Amino acid sequence: KTLLNRCQKEFFREKDDEKLIDGKIKQTQEDKTLTDQKRQDELEELYYQRSKLKKKMLGNINFIGELYNLNMISAKIIQMQCITNLIDKKNTGLYLYFSLSRSLSLSLSLSLSRTP
């Protein structure tokens, strides 16, 4: 139970971190006080941070899929929490959704089809 709660907290924290980084990118792009070189350097660092965050998110999604395959997470949790929240995200969410789909076995679709 503690492990599942930790995964859920990480999932939502990463979602907030992604919004924060995207906001900083937009702010840096619009900042007229920066020189072109300074803007480019800051954007490069922010893109790197976003890339690291996406890799971490991907790892967590794959971990959640493996927990499901080991019957440690129910199909309802996958459907109601993970898939719903991934679909709410922009491009990253779709990528993570398909990654989760790959790591889940066929049993998820069978479980969901039997769930009322």
Side-chain angles (χ1 to χ4, degrees):
K1 177 116 176 131
T2 304
L3 181 61
L4 298 178
N5 289 337
R6 173 72 188 247
C7 285
Q8 186 176 21
K9 284 180 187 176
E10 281 294 315
F11 184 81
F12 288 112
R13 187 177 65 77
E14 289 165 352
K15 195 174 179 181
D16 293 339
D17 289 348
E18 184 181 29
K19 287 179 186 176
L20 182 67
I21 291 172
D22 286 343
K24 286 181 180 180
I25 289 172
K26 185 176 181 182
Q27 182 182 7
T28 302
Q29 289 171 335
E30 295 172 354
D31 190 350
K32 303 294 183 197
T33 62
L34 297 174
T35 64
D36 287 342
Q37 183 61 42
K38 180 74 171 164
R39 180 179 295 112
Q40 183 179 351
D41 291 344
E42 287 186 22
L43 286 172
E44 192 173 300
E45 176 62 27
L46 290 168
Y47 290 139
Y48 175 72
Q49 288 177 10
R50 187 168 63 179
S51 174
K52 277 179 39 177
L53 179 63
K54 285 183 181 184
K55 286 180 184 178
K56 185 176 179 184
M57 293 167 75
L58 180 60
N60 287 339
I61 288 297
N62 287 332
F63 181 66
I64 289 169
E66 291 303 318
L67 289 176
Y68 173 78
N69 288 334
L70 295 171
N71 295 319
M72 295 179 72
I73 297 178
S74 72
K76 281 187 178 183
I77 290 174
I78 294 290
Q79 181 184 22
M80 301 302 284
Q81 294 291 322
C82 296
I83 294 175
T84 302
N85 284 301
L86 288 176
I87 291 174
D88 286 345
K89 288 185 167 193
K90 296 178 189 171
N91 297 333
T92 305
L94 290 176
Y95 176 72
L96 293 173
Y97 169 76
F98 288 116
S99 176
L100 177 63
S101 298
R102 277 196 317 259
S103 63
L104 295 175
S105 63
L106 178 61
S107 58
L108 177 63
S109 60
L110 296 174
S111 295
L112 293 176
S113 65
R114 285 187 242 135
T115 306

PDB file of all heavy atoms in Angstrom, residues 66-78:
ATOM      1  N   GLU A  66       4.279  -2.813 -14.627  1.00  0.00           N
ATOM      2  CA  GLU A  66       4.815  -4.061 -14.064  1.00  0.00           C
ATOM      3  C   GLU A  66       4.118  -4.424 -12.758  1.00  0.00           C
ATOM      4  O   GLU A  66       3.876  -5.605 -12.487  1.00  0.00           O
ATOM      5  CB  GLU A  66       6.327  -3.959 -13.863  1.00  0.00           C
ATOM      6  CG  GLU A  66       7.098  -3.914 -15.159  1.00  0.00           C
ATOM      7  CD  GLU A  66       6.836  -5.122 -16.054  1.00  0.00           C
ATOM      8  OE1 GLU A  66       6.771  -6.261 -15.549  1.00  0.00           O
ATOM      9  OE2 GLU A  66       6.688  -4.918 -17.272  1.00  0.00           O
ATOM     10  N   LEU A  67       3.784  -3.427 -11.946  1.00  0.00           N
ATOM     11  CA  LEU A  67       3.028  -3.707 -10.712  1.00  0.00           C
ATOM     12  C   LEU A  67       1.673  -4.318 -11.054  1.00  0.00           C
ATOM     13  O   LEU A  67       1.203  -5.228 -10.370  1.00  0.00           O
ATOM     14  CB  LEU A  67       2.841  -2.435  -9.886  1.00  0.00           C
ATOM     15  CG  LEU A  67       4.075  -1.868  -9.198  1.00  0.00           C
ATOM     16  CD1 LEU A  67       3.730  -0.558  -8.498  1.00  0.00           C
ATOM     17  CD2 LEU A  67       4.660  -2.860  -8.215  1.00  0.00           C
ATOM     18  N   TYR A  68       1.056  -3.816 -12.114  1.00  0.00           N
ATOM     19  CA  TYR A  68      -0.220  -4.399 -12.541  1.00  0.00           C
ATOM     20  C   TYR A  68      -0.021  -5.845 -12.994  1.00  0.00           C
ATOM     21  O   TYR A  68      -0.804  -6.727 -12.633  1.00  0.00           O
ATOM     22  CB  TYR A  68      -0.852  -3.578 -13.675  1.00  0.00           C
ATOM     23  CG  TYR A  68      -2.065  -4.278 -14.223  1.00  0.00           C
ATOM     24  CD1 TYR A  68      -3.266  -4.229 -13.539  1.00  0.00           C
ATOM     25  CD2 TYR A  68      -1.989  -5.032 -15.379  1.00  0.00           C
ATOM     26  CE1 TYR A  68      -4.377  -4.913 -14.012  1.00  0.00           C
ATOM     27  CE2 TYR A  68      -3.095  -5.715 -15.858  1.00  0.00           C
ATOM     28  CZ  TYR A  68      -4.283  -5.647 -15.172  1.00  0.00           C
ATOM     29  OH  TYR A  68      -5.373  -6.336 -15.637  1.00  0.00           O
ATOM     30  N   ASN A  69       1.022  -6.078 -13.779  1.00  0.00           N
ATOM     31  CA  ASN A  69       1.276  -7.438 -14.267  1.00  0.00           C
ATOM     32  C   ASN A  69       1.536  -8.416 -13.130  1.00  0.00           C
ATOM     33  O   ASN A  69       1.288  -9.614 -13.267  1.00  0.00           O
ATOM     34  CB  ASN A  69       2.451  -7.452 -15.245  1.00  0.00           C
ATOM     35  CG  ASN A  69       2.084  -6.809 -16.569  1.00  0.00           C
ATOM     36  OD1 ASN A  69       0.922  -6.779 -16.959  1.00  0.00           O
ATOM     37  ND2 ASN A  69       3.081  -6.277 -17.252  1.00  0.00           N
ATOM     38  N   LEU A  70       2.015  -7.906 -11.985  1.00  0.00           N
ATOM     39  CA  LEU A  70       2.244  -8.747 -10.806  1.00  0.00           C
ATOM     40  C   LEU A  70       1.021  -8.793  -9.888  1.00  0.00           C
ATOM     41  O   LEU A  70       1.104  -9.275  -8.762  1.00  0.00           O
ATOM     42  CB  LEU A  70       3.463  -8.231 -10.032  1.00  0.00           C
ATOM     43  CG  LEU A  70       4.792  -8.331 -10.761  1.00  0.00           C
ATOM     44  CD1 LEU A  70       5.875  -7.594  -9.985  1.00  0.00           C
ATOM     45  CD2 LEU A  70       5.170  -9.792 -10.978  1.00  0.00           C
ATOM     46  N   ASN A  71      -0.104  -8.255 -10.373  1.00  0.00           N
ATOM     47  CA  ASN A  71      -1.373  -8.222  -9.625  1.00  0.00           C
ATOM     48  C   ASN A  71      -1.278  -7.422  -8.326  1.00  0.00           C
ATOM     49  O   ASN A  71      -1.962  -7.717  -7.355  1.00  0.00           O
ATOM     50  CB  ASN A  71      -1.878  -9.640  -9.327  1.00  0.00           C
ATOM     51  CG  ASN A  71      -2.234 -10.381 -10.580  1.00  0.00           C
ATOM     52  OD1 ASN A  71      -2.825  -9.815 -11.493  1.00  0.00           O
ATOM     53  ND2 ASN A  71      -1.844 -11.647 -10.646  1.00  0.00           N
ATOM     54  N   MET A  72      -0.437  -6.404  -8.320  1.00  0.00           N
ATOM     55  CA  MET A  72      -0.324  -5.538  -7.146  1.00  0.00           C
ATOM     56  C   MET A  72      -1.203  -4.291  -7.291  1.00  0.00           C
ATOM     57  O   MET A  72      -1.404  -3.568  -6.326  1.00  0.00           O
ATOM     58  CB  MET A  72       1.133  -5.147  -6.923  1.00  0.00           C
ATOM     59  CG  MET A  72       2.018  -6.324  -6.577  1.00  0.00           C
ATOM     60  SD  MET A  72       3.734  -5.860  -6.347  1.00  0.00           S
ATOM     61  CE  MET A  72       3.656  -4.990  -4.791  1.00  0.00           C
ATOM     62  N   ILE A  73      -1.682  -4.036  -8.506  1.00  0.00           N
ATOM     63  CA  ILE A  73      -2.577  -2.917  -8.789  1.00  0.00           C
ATOM     64  C   ILE A  73      -3.765  -3.474  -9.557  1.00  0.00           C
ATOM     65  O   ILE A  73      -3.600  -4.289 -10.461  1.00  0.00           O
ATOM     66  CB  ILE A  73      -1.882  -1.838  -9.648  1.00  0.00           C
ATOM     67  CG1 ILE A  73      -0.699  -1.236  -8.909  1.00  0.00           C
ATOM     68  CG2 ILE A  73      -2.858  -0.745 -10.043  1.00  0.00           C
ATOM     69  CD1 ILE A  73       0.054  -0.203  -9.715  1.00  0.00           C
ATOM     70  N   SER A  74      -4.962  -3.024  -9.195  1.00  0.00           N
ATOM     71  CA  SER A  74      -6.156  -3.520  -9.873  1.00  0.00           C
ATOM     72  C   SER A  74      -6.379  -2.810 -11.199  1.00  0.00           C
ATOM     73  O   SER A  74      -5.844  -1.733 -11.454  1.00  0.00           O
ATOM     74  CB  SER A  74      -7.386  -3.323  -8.972  1.00  0.00           C
ATOM     75  OG  SER A  74      -7.720  -1.950  -8.901  1.00  0.00           O
ATOM     76  N   ALA A  75      -7.195  -3.416 -12.030  1.00  0.00           N
ATOM     77  CA  ALA A  75      -7.543  -2.823 -13.331  1.00  0.00           C
ATOM     78  C   ALA A  75      -8.275  -1.501 -13.137  1.00  0.00           C
ATOM     79  O   ALA A  75      -8.119  -0.574 -13.929  1.00  0.00           O
ATOM     80  CB  ALA A  75      -8.392  -3.799 -14.131  1.00  0.00           C
ATOM     81  N   LYS A  76      -9.061  -1.395 -12.072  1.00  0.00           N
ATOM     82  CA  LYS A  76      -9.789  -0.151 -11.817  1.00  0.00           C
ATOM     83  C   LYS A  76      -8.830   1.003 -11.549  1.00  0.00           C
ATOM     84  O   LYS A  76      -9.061   2.119 -12.005  1.00  0.00           O
ATOM     85  CB  LYS A  76     -10.745  -0.309 -10.632  1.00  0.00           C
ATOM     86  CG  LYS A  76     -12.013  -1.025 -10.978  1.00  0.00           C
ATOM     87  CD  LYS A  76     -12.968  -1.004  -9.813  1.00  0.00           C
ATOM     88  CE  LYS A  76     -14.271  -1.675 -10.179  1.00  0.00           C
ATOM     89  NZ  LYS A  76     -15.248  -1.608  -9.097  1.00  0.00           N
ATOM     90  N   ILE A  77      -7.759   0.748 -10.810  1.00  0.00           N
ATOM     91  CA  ILE A  77      -6.782   1.802 -10.532  1.00  0.00           C
ATOM     92  C   ILE A  77      -6.121   2.242 -11.829  1.00  0.00           C
ATOM     93  O   ILE A  77      -5.959   3.436 -12.085  1.00  0.00           O
ATOM     94  CB  ILE A  77      -5.736   1.329  -9.505  1.00  0.00           C
ATOM     95  CG1 ILE A  77      -6.383   1.185  -8.128  1.00  0.00           C
ATOM     96  CG2 ILE A  77      -4.565   2.295  -9.442  1.00  0.00           C
ATOM     97  CD1 ILE A  77      -5.485   0.601  -7.073  1.00  0.00           C
ATOM     98  N   ILE A  78      -5.739   1.269 -12.644  1.00  0.00           N
ATOM     99  CA  ILE A  78      -5.118   1.608 -13.931  1.00  0.00           C
ATOM    100  C   ILE A  78      -6.075   2.445 -14.761  1.00  0.00           C
ATOM    101  O   ILE A  78      -5.708   3.477 -15.312  1.00  0.00           O
ATOM    102  CB  ILE A  78      -4.714   0.329 -14.699  1.00  0.00           C
ATOM    103  CG1 ILE A  78      -3.613  -0.427 -13.975  1.00  0.00           C
ATOM    104  CG2 ILE A  78      -4.312   0.654 -16.130  1.00  0.00           C
ATOM    105  CD1 ILE A  78      -2.263   0.240 -13.990  1.00  0.00           C
TER     106      ILE A  78
END
